Each structure stands twice: as C-alpha cells, then as structure tokens.
Amino acid sequence: CQPWPGLIEAYREYLPVSTTTPIVTLLEGNTPLIPSFTLAERIGRQVSVYIKYDGLNPTGSFKDRGMTMAISKAKEEGAKAVICASTGNTSAAAAAYARRGGMRPFVVIPDGYVALGKLAQALLYGAEVIAIRGNFDQALGVVRQMADNYPITLVNSLNPYRLEGQKTGAFEVVDVLGNAPDWLCIPMGNAGNITAYWMGFCQYFQAGKCDRLPKMMGFQAAGAAPLVNGQPVTKPETIATAIRIGNPASWGKAVAAKDASQGSFHAVTDAEILNAYQILASEEGIFCEPASASSVAGLLKMKDEIPTGATVVCILTGHGLKDPEMAMKHGNSQFQKGVEMKVEVVAKAMGF
Ligand code: F0G
C-alpha cells in the first residue's frame, strides 16, 4: 500500500503540471466517502447515500484541492504574493499553501461575516487580512482589480488552476464507487466547485473511468440564491456565511453543468440547513459547517424525486470546527453546568 502522495501526484496525468512544476502540497485529497445509513433510511426505496467528507482536508475544507494547484502554478510562475477575496475557507487555504510555498498571502474578507475558526486560521498561518465594509461580491471586485494592477496573483476560483485541482474530488468519488453516482448534491456559493466537479466527471467519462454522468444538483441558501432566482442578489443573507454570495463568478459555467447533466438548482432555507447540520452530527457523527449541510438539506428536500435504487453523493465542503459559534448555538444535547462533584448528584443529572 503506497502512502497517499497528495492530489497532484495522484492525478498528475489529468492536471496541467510538468516535471518542473514545484509542487506545494499538504497531502490534501483522498478524503473519505462515508455511507450514510440515516439519510438512506429517510429516503427509502433502496437509495444509497454517501457523504464526501471534504472537511477532512488539511485546512478543513475542499479549498485545499484548488489551492495546491493554484499555489504550485503561482510558484512556478515566480509569484511573490497571492491575493483572494473570501468568506473564510479560501483565505485559510490560500494562507496555508502560500506560506508553505514561501509567498505572501493577502486576503480580503467581509467584515463580521467570517466564521471564527477560519479567521483564526488565516491569522495564524500568517495572512495579511483586510476586512472590508462590504460583502464577498464587493471584496471579489476589489481583489480582481488588485490583481490587474499590482504584481500579485489572484487565487480565487477565477484562477483556472483552482478548478483543475478541485475537479479531483469527482475523480475520487468515481475511484471509490467504480462509477459516477446518479446524483451529485453540492452547495453553491461562487459556483466554482460545481463547475469543477462537472469538469472532473466529464474528464473521467472521456477517459473511460465511468460510463455515466451524474445529475448535478446544486443548492443555495434561500437568502443568497441568485442561481436559483436567475438574478443577482444585492444583499445576500444566510447563517451559512461560507455561501453568503449574491453574484457568483462561475455563474455561466454552473448553469452549463446543470443543463448538460439534466440536473437542477434549488434553494434551502436556513432552518432546513440547520436541520441537516444537526442530523449529520447527531445521527451520523459527521460534523460539517452549515454551508456544507446545504447539500444534505437539498437532498432531503428533493427526496421524492430520487429514482429507486439510485446512488447519491453529497459533498460536505467544510469541517464543523470552522464555525464553533454556530455549533454552540445549535447543539441538540443537554449541557448542565456547575454540577456538584458528587457521584449521586452527577448520576441524578444524568437521569439515573
Ligand atoms: N461550502 C463551503 C464550506 C465554502 O467555503 C464554499 C465557498 C462553498 C461551499 C461554495 O463553493 O464557491 O465553489 O460554489 N467558499 C468561498 C470562500 C467563497 O471564500 O471560502 P463555491
């Protein structure tokens, strides 16, 4: 059994790297595809449900897949600094990989709307963090102009190498299942990841690694659902801050993926997202951040439309520890504080 070499080495033949590309890696990828019996039971009809737990990447989100590629290519091109706008996870991944590659990471975030764990990561990895009085879409506008006018490389998903790296998530799903699933449920924010997964499935299909393509089922938070409504949202709002985005950069590509795959886009409310978030943690032992749970919220919402015997994969994009405040607020369990340290008292508190 060979040790996992990181996704660029593992999928080198499918990626735009050469023997001279300096590979900046934290051995990301190879995340587990976990069967979900609770969800399968809720749907019934012999449907198989798998969770692609991409929160288990080195910085806790799927962004590492894109960042190993973007930073390796930036290094190859001699970049000294990189920049991104972010709702949090991209900033953490950019910071970690840029520092590992010896570059300066600059990140622009919407002030007050980045989960605590993500901000803590960016700061500790050594990013230069600028919180603007504006939302993600406005932050993206700023960094695009910065990259156009200053010697700094953009590492948002507009950077084509990001999507190249992220498409490996689809390869891993097919490698484990032996084929593509019938449905792929995925959260959508800036719409890069759905675009990347579709690229990956199509490329593997052409290489003969699978003989079917999944329906791409994209889900957005109801307060930030431009792709569902068909028009930009000027003031996006949702508790799922990772996908609090009103004007996705990969809009056209995401719609093309949906259409080509005969998939569809739907909105899920914050209440539905929180319900899925709690089910995943308390019934499956899988802790993801709220934005990630939108793929499962979407699956539950669409459950009557899943064909009997189908195989469904839900992408869980980020780890639950990214957003500890949300977990503290929405945990199901009882939490009794200040209990006297006597066995009888503790036993009573436990209901014995
Ligand atoms: N899930 C999580 C946990 C995310 O952080 C993001 C995006 C998405 C889903 C949506 O993916 O943008 O490719 O459609 N986060 C970006 C960031 C915007 O800055 O971290 P997408």
Side-chain angles (χ1 to χ4, degrees):
C1 179
Q2 295 287 319
W4 175 254
L7 64 82
I8 295 182
E9 285 306 337
Y11 294 112
R12 181 174 269 278
E13 63 187 296
Y14 298 99
L15 294 169
V17 286
S18 73
T19 47
T20 55
T21 308
I23 307 299
V24 182
T25 178
L26 288 161
L27 307 187
E28 58 296 307
N30 194 25
T31 56
L33 190 67
I34 308 172
S36 172
F37 304 114
T38 301
L39 294 175
E41 207 170 286
R42 275 171 204 261
I43 296 162
R45 305 195 307 285
Q46 289 131 38
V47 170
S48 305
V49 180
Y50 295 88
I51 301 294
K52 178 71 170 158
Y53 195 14
D54 240 8
L56 288 187
N57 274 298
T59 77
S61 86
F62 73 100
K63 303 289 182 180
D64 296 346
R65 295 183 181 277
M67 214 50 81
T68 184
M69 273 299 302
I71 296 293
S72 297
K73 294 301 280 189
K75 195 171 167 74
E76 183 174 31
E77 287 155 15
K80 298 275 177 281
V82 299
I83 191 167
C84 65
S86 182
T87 55
N89 283 323
T90 300
S91 71
Y97 284 81
R99 296 306 306 148
R100 193 169 172 86
M103 283 167 248
R104 283 176 77 183
F106 290 88
V107 310
V108 181
I109 56 171
D111 199 1
Y113 289 92
V114 169
L116 191 62
K118 306 175 189 182
L119 184 55
Q121 285 179 290
L123 295 172
L124 191 71
Y125 289 134
E128 295 173 53
V129 180
I130 297 173
I132 57 154
R133 290 194 295 264
N135 61 29
F136 169 84
D137 304 290
Q138 291 158 330
L140 187 59
V142 170
V143 300
R144 287 176 83 155
Q145 287 183 48
M146 289 285 304
D148 285 345
N149 294 301
Y150 297 90
I152 190 160
T153 301
L154 185 69
V155 293
N156 279 104
S157 54
L158 292 157
N159 176 325
Y161 300 121
R162 278 278 312 277
L163 299 187
E164 289 289 333
Q166 284 173 215
K167 76 185 179 188
T168 60
F171 296 168
E172 290 177 14
V173 168
V174 174
D175 285 345
V176 171
L177 293 179
N179 209 340
D182 297 289
W183 277 29
L184 195 281
C185 297
I186 187 165
M188 296 188 299
N190 216 20
N193 211 28
I194 190 170
T195 304
Y197 265 85
W198 182 241
M199 279 166 54
F201 285 120
C202 289
Q203 199 170 354
Y204 245 28
F205 182 81
Q206 274 151 18
K209 294 270 193 176
C210 51
D211 64 13
R212 62 179 183 221
L213 289 164
K215 279 190 195 300
M216 300 300 284
M217 306 297 290
F219 299 101
Q220 296 199 290
L227 291 165
V228 180
N229 305 336
Q231 58 187 44
V233 176
T234 34
K235 290 207 170 105
E237 271 316 333
T238 167
I239 50 112
T241 50
I243 52 172
R244 187 175 168 270
I245 294 175
N247 194 8
S250 296
W251 189 308
K253 289 180 190 161
V255 170
K258 174 196 62 141
D259 292 344
S261 72
Q262 298 170 328
S264 53
F265 294 165
H266 303 272
V268 284
T269 63
D270 282 359
E272 289 169 323
I273 291 173
L274 286 172
N275 183 42
Y277 173 66
Q278 288 166 332
I279 290 172
L280 280 163
S282 65
E283 295 182 26
E284 293 287 15
I286 299 175
F287 188 22
C288 68
E289 64 171 288
S292 300
S294 63
S295 62
V296 171
L299 169 72
L300 293 173
K301 188 164 200 149
M302 303 303 293
K303 71 181 169 61
D304 294 338
E305 297 193 19
I306 304 170
T308 301
T311 298
V312 180
V313 171
C314 294
I315 309 297
L316 290 194
T317 45
H319 200 288
L321 291 172
K322 292 276 192 174
D323 197 344
E325 289 168 322
M326 201 57 72
M328 289 305 290
K329 210 156 143 195
H330 298 282
N332 277 328
S333 302
Q334 292 203 15
F335 180 27
Q336 304 179 52
K337 281 165 61 127
V339 177
E340 198 187 340
M341 50 179 179
K342 278 190 186 146
V343 176
E344 316 83 78
V345 181
V346 172
K348 192 159 177 251
M350 290 176 176
F352 290 105

